[in-house]
Amino acid sequence: IENSVAYGNGYNRWGFPNFQGDGNGFKLGGGDEDLPAAHTVRNSIAFGNSTGGFIDNANPGAMRLDHNTAYRNSGTGFDVADSRSTLTKNLAVGNGTAVSLGSSTATGNSWNIGGTWNDSALVSTDPAIITGPRTATGDIPHSEFLVPRNGADVGARI
């Protein structure tokens, strides 16, 4: 998965009766906890989801998450406690919990490099460019949404 955005999951905006959306942004399961899948997620953003941002969903596989951003998800930004994942240069800001690693490894991420990671540490927190109209080619227009103000090489650039 590359250059993707998952936002607003888990909210019943349509008024469906018996709505059961679980509210995760990127669910990276293998379909069954006995079938490991080695997903790779790069340069993607999960924000405003009612549960988590990036979750292994009981997938025991060896995944790679590189340069992703989890922002204001109610649960955990990066939940890879059931997998053997490698997380590098990811950004977690304003989530219920930044990360749940289990036996996964993490280097160069916002929670590894320290500092204060809140809304004021970001150039823009306005999702209008992400949720608004696409370019003529169908792409999300480039913006500084959730880009670190200090220039740190963490998180997605969309």
Side-chain angles (χ1 to χ4, degrees):
I1 301 169
E2 292 183 290
N3 308 320
S4 298
V5 179
Y7 69 94
N9 291 297
Y11 298 101
N12 187 0
R13 291 183 284 278
W14 312 275
F16 293 147
N18 303 317
F19 176 78
Q20 295 182 13
D22 71 3
N24 287 301
F26 292 92
K27 283 180 79 165
L28 303 170
D32 184 312
E33 62 189 42
D34 296 326
L35 298 171
H39 301 296
T40 298
V41 184
R42 289 187 190 102
N43 199 52
S44 294
I45 298 173
F47 75 94
N49 296 294
S50 70
T51 306
F54 298 83
I55 181 170
D56 62 20
N57 206 45
N59 177 2
M63 294 180 281
R64 293 186 41 82
L65 283 77
D66 180 58
H67 281 92
N68 299 296
T69 299
Y71 176 71
R72 286 193 184 173
N73 298 288
S74 296
T76 304
F78 293 90
D79 183 351
V80 291
D82 294 321
S83 63
R84 297 177 325 275
S85 297
T86 302
L87 286 76
T88 53
K89 299 189 177 195
N90 297 292
L91 174 64
V93 176
N95 301 288
T97 301
V99 64
S100 177
L101 285 176
S103 62
S104 294
T105 60
T107 57
N109 302 286
S110 60
W111 59 90
N112 299 124
I113 63 176
T116 301
W117 294 102
N118 55 30
D119 283 14
S120 64
L122 305 171
V123 175
S124 171
T125 59
D126 180 0
I129 194 82
I130 299 291
T131 61
R134 301 294 187 248
T135 66
T137 60
D139 295 332
I140 295 170
H142 178 72
S143 74
E144 293 192 334
F145 180 60
L146 305 180
V147 172
R149 188 177 302 280
N150 67 5
D153 183 22
V154 294
R157 305 291 191 273
I158 298 213

